[in-house]
Amino acid sequence: SFKETNCMNKLVKDIPAKRLSYEFLHSLNGIIGLTERELQLLAAMLDLYIAEPKYRDSIDCSDIRKKLVLTTGVSKENLSRYIRLFKQKGLLVKSKHHGASTLNTAIVPVVIGGKTVQITMILKIKSNE
């Protein structure tokens, strides 16, 4: 449930720490437009990205793919399709260091003070459409 605040356009929701990746991406999903399964898989990738910094520059390496297959139950073939989709949507981008794929930092939550994540959303309104 959401808490009412005195600020306009500000919603606050309490979540368990273990669901941070999913809840963060779920909050963004109105913009990124993923299915529930795609959202679950991307959240699992985000969990690994946060938990294992050594893989941040190559989030689609074979070690990560194996872990995703084991933890999410996705097949290797479908995982490849999802990764291709995430690249097309700009959710996975080329790493500056190795040229491998990494998560777009816009979808990585920044935890403030160990207990808060803030999202700023900008919707640009086109006046001539």
Side-chain angles (χ1 to χ4, degrees):
S1 66
F2 289 99
K3 293 181 182 177
E4 187 175 343
T5 64
N6 293 333
C7 300
M8 256 176 84
N9 294 332
K10 182 177 179 182
L11 300 172
V12 178
K13 182 179 181 183
D14 294 328
I15 61 166
K18 65 183 178 180
R19 290 193 41 92
L20 173 62
S21 294
Y22 177 83
E23 292 291 341
F24 181 78
L25 292 171
H26 190 262
S27 297
L28 298 176
N29 203 32
I31 293 174
I32 57 181
L34 300 177
T35 66
E36 181 62 25
R37 184 63 173 143
E38 292 163 350
L39 191 61
Q40 291 168 352
L41 187 61
L42 189 59
M45 290 178 86
L46 182 54
D47 285 340
L48 290 170
Y49 180 94
I50 292 168
E52 302 190 36
K54 66 182 177 179
Y55 293 121
R56 288 187 181 165
D57 286 333
S58 57
I59 197 68
D60 69 344
C61 69
S62 61
D63 287 348
I64 292 289
R65 286 177 182 244
K66 287 176 188 174
K67 288 180 183 192
L68 290 169
V69 166
L70 288 173
T71 59
T72 66
V74 67
S75 69
K76 291 178 184 178
E77 296 79 18
N78 280 340
L79 178 57
S80 292
R81 288 185 193 101
Y82 287 126
I83 287 173
R84 192 169 39 252
L85 172 76
F86 296 155
K87 287 178 182 178
Q88 289 170 350
K89 287 186 168 270
L91 303 171
L92 292 178
V93 295
K94 292 267 187 204
S95 168
K96 294 175 184 170
H97 301 107
H98 302 292
S101 293
T102 188
L103 286 176
N104 185 327
T105 55
I107 64 165
V108 178
V110 176
V111 180
I112 304 164
K115 60 181 181 176
T116 304
V117 173
Q118 181 174 323
I119 300 171
T120 301
M121 187 177 301
I122 299 171
L123 300 174
K124 292 186 177 184
I125 300 171
K126 296 179 181 180
S127 60
N128 54 349
E129 290 186 23

